[in-house]
Structures are given as structure tokens and as C-alpha cells.
């Protein structure tokens, strides 16, 4: 895992979590979710609007689009957001999940915005 200032995902996370009515959905591994939770330490922990698909070994082998589609439905059900920000991490970028297709097929009320934020593509300031 990269340090906080060296990871594009962490920059995207920080930029998006402040948007009212939105939920950040990390399409990444559990470590990215855990690492980004540290940014909430100084905030109201009762209103964390973030979740993660927690990409598994089978998602790496067979693709994580189905996991992302399920996560989008769960986010809408749990949060009823106006927008869902799907932030890709290194693993989903490496396996080339078709994030745009999954976002386009989503039939919920929330607007889905995709953000490419693989850590190896830039640092926190690029995110």
C-alpha cells in the first residue's frame, strides 16, 4: 500500500467525501477502504458516506463488474443518495473492469459518476 500522499485514490476520496448528497463507493480492495477511513477521524463518525466493493480473488480472476453492480444497488438502498461516486483503485484498473458499462446499466435514481483513481496513476494531488 502506498503512503497517503502517494495515492491518487486517497486524493479522489478526500475531494468527493465533502460533496453533500453523495456516497463514495471504492471499487477496490479492503486495504484502500481501511486506509481512507483514517481521513474521517476528525469528522462526525456517525455520518460516514463511504463503502467499498472489497474486490476478492474471484473478482480478480473473473472480473468485478457483478460485485460493483451489487454494491451500487446496496448503496442506493442504504443511503438513498443523489450521487454515487465510483472510485477505481489499482486492482480494478489492472483487471480492466468495465466501470463505465456497469455505471451506465445502473437503473437506480442516483446519478453514478466514475472516477479513475488507481494509485499507480498519480499521487494524492492528482486525485
Amino acid at each position: 500500500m502506498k503512503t497517503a500522499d502517494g495515492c491518487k485514490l486517497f486524493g479522489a476520496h478526500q475531494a468527493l467525501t465533502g460533496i453533500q448528497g453523495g456516497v463514495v463507493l471504492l471499487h477496490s480492495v479492503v486495504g484502500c477502504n481501511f486506509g481512507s477511513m483514517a481521513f474521517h477521524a476528525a469528522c462526525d463518525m456517525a455520518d460516514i458516506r463511504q463503502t467499498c466493493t472489497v474486490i476478492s480473488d474471484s473478482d480478480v480472476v473473473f472480473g468485478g463488474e457483478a460485485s460493483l453492480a451489487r454494491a451500487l444497488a446496496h448503496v442506493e438502498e442504504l443511503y438513498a443518495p443523489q450521487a454515487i461516486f465510483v472510485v477505481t483503485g489499482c486492482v480494478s484498473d489492472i483487471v480492466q473492469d468495465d466501470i463505465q458499462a456497469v455505471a451506465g446499466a445502473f437503473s437506480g435514481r442516483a446519478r453514478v459518476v466514475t472516477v479513475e483513481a488507481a494509485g499507480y496513476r498519480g499521487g494524492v494531488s492528482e486525485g
Side-chain angles (χ1 to χ4, degrees), residues 11-59:
H13 174 272
Q14 287 179 305
L16 296 169
T17 55
I19 298 175
Q20 293 292 323
V23 172
V24 174
L25 171 57
L26 302 175
H27 185 45
S28 192
V29 295
V30 71
C32 297
N33 189 55
F34 182 75
S36 62
M37 291 298 284
F39 294 117
H40 297 290
C43 302
D44 179 7
M45 297 295 279
D47 190 31
I48 296 177
R49 299 177 64 79
Q50 151 185 352
T51 191
C52 184
T53 57
V54 186
I55 291 176
S56 68
D57 295 348
S58 64
D59 292 328

Side-chain angles (χ1 to χ4, degrees), residues 6-127:
C7 184
K8 189 175 180 181
L9 181 139
F10 287 170
H13 174 272
Q14 287 179 305
L16 296 169
T17 55
I19 298 175
Q20 293 292 323
V23 172
V24 174
L25 171 57
L26 302 175
H27 185 45
S28 192
V29 295
V30 71
C32 297
N33 189 55
F34 182 75
S36 62
M37 291 298 284
F39 294 117
H40 297 290
C43 302
D44 179 7
M45 297 295 279
D47 190 31
I48 296 177
R49 299 177 64 79
Q50 151 185 352
T51 191
C52 184
T53 57
V54 186
I55 291 176
S56 68
D57 295 348
S58 64
D59 292 328
V60 172
V61 174
F62 302 109
E65 287 101 352
S67 294
L68 178 57
R70 282 191 307 276
L72 285 167
H74 290 304
V75 167
E76 181 145 279
E77 180 183 334
L78 292 170
Y79 295 101
Q82 295 170 346
I84 302 171
F85 303 109
V86 177
V87 179
T88 60
C90 294
V91 175
S92 60
D93 193 67
I94 290 168
V95 300
Q96 291 292 293
D97 281 341
D98 192 347
I99 307 306
Q100 296 294 336
V102 176
F106 181 66
S107 61
R109 287 181 279 175
R111 178 177 178 209
V112 179
V113 178
T114 61
V115 179
E116 176 278 308
Y120 60 81
R121 293 191 184 268
V124 71
S125 62
E126 288 87 11

